[in-house]
Short mmCIF file of all heavy atoms in Angstrom, two decimals:
data_model
loop_
_atom_site.label_atom_id
_atom_site.label_comp_id
_atom_site.label_asym_id
_atom_site.label_seq_id
_atom_site.Cartn_x
_atom_site.Cartn_y
_atom_site.Cartn_z
N ALA U 314 10.46 3.08 13.24
CA ALA U 314 11.21 2.00 12.58
C ALA U 314 10.38 0.74 12.34
O ALA U 314 10.91 -0.36 12.33
CB ALA U 314 12.45 1.65 13.39
N ALA U 315 9.09 0.90 12.14
CA ALA U 315 8.27 -0.29 11.88
C ALA U 315 8.45 -0.80 10.46
O ALA U 315 7.98 -1.87 10.13
CB ALA U 315 6.80 0.03 12.13
N GLY U 316 9.11 -0.03 9.63
CA GLY U 316 9.26 -0.46 8.24
C GLY U 316 7.94 -0.40 7.50
O GLY U 316 7.75 -1.04 6.48
N LEU U 317 7.03 0.39 8.01
CA LEU U 317 5.69 0.47 7.41
C LEU U 317 5.41 1.84 6.81
O LEU U 317 4.36 2.05 6.24
CB LEU U 317 4.62 0.20 8.47
CG LEU U 317 4.34 -1.24 8.79
CD1 LEU U 317 3.42 -1.33 9.98
CD2 LEU U 317 3.73 -1.95 7.59
N ALA U 318 6.32 2.80 7.00
CA ALA U 318 6.11 4.13 6.43
C ALA U 318 5.87 3.93 4.94
O ALA U 318 6.65 3.27 4.27
CB ALA U 318 7.34 4.99 6.67
N SER U 319 4.80 4.47 4.46
CA SER U 319 4.35 4.00 3.17
C SER U 319 4.02 5.14 2.24
O SER U 319 3.48 6.17 2.65
CB SER U 319 3.14 3.10 3.41
OG SER U 319 2.07 3.48 2.61
N SER U 320 4.38 4.95 0.98
CA SER U 320 4.03 5.97 -0.01
C SER U 320 2.52 5.97 -0.26
O SER U 320 1.98 6.93 -0.79
CB SER U 320 4.79 5.73 -1.31
OG SER U 320 4.51 4.45 -1.81
N ALA U 321 1.84 4.89 0.14
CA ALA U 321 0.39 4.84 -0.07
C ALA U 321 -0.33 5.88 0.77
O ALA U 321 -1.10 6.71 0.26
CB ALA U 321 -0.13 3.44 0.27
N SER U 322 -0.06 5.88 2.08
CA SER U 322 -0.71 6.88 2.95
C SER U 322 -0.18 8.27 2.63
O SER U 322 -0.92 9.26 2.67
CB SER U 322 -0.50 6.54 4.42
OG SER U 322 0.87 6.43 4.73
N ALA U 323 1.10 8.36 2.27
CA ALA U 323 1.71 9.68 2.00
C ALA U 323 1.03 10.37 0.81
O ALA U 323 0.61 11.53 0.92
CB ALA U 323 3.20 9.51 1.73
N TYR U 324 0.92 9.67 -0.30
CA TYR U 324 0.34 10.32 -1.48
C TYR U 324 -1.17 10.45 -1.41
O TYR U 324 -1.75 11.35 -2.01
CB TYR U 324 0.79 9.62 -2.77
CG TYR U 324 2.16 10.11 -3.19
CD1 TYR U 324 3.29 9.34 -2.97
CD2 TYR U 324 2.33 11.36 -3.80
CE1 TYR U 324 4.56 9.78 -3.33
CE2 TYR U 324 3.59 11.82 -4.17
CZ TYR U 324 4.69 11.03 -3.94
OH TYR U 324 5.94 11.49 -4.30
N ALA U 325 -1.83 9.56 -0.69
CA ALA U 325 -3.28 9.73 -0.53
C ALA U 325 -3.57 10.97 0.31
O ALA U 325 -4.46 11.78 -0.02
CB ALA U 325 -3.91 8.49 0.09
#
Side-chain angles (χ1 to χ4, degrees):
L317 279 171
S319 128
S320 58
S322 57
Y324 277 103

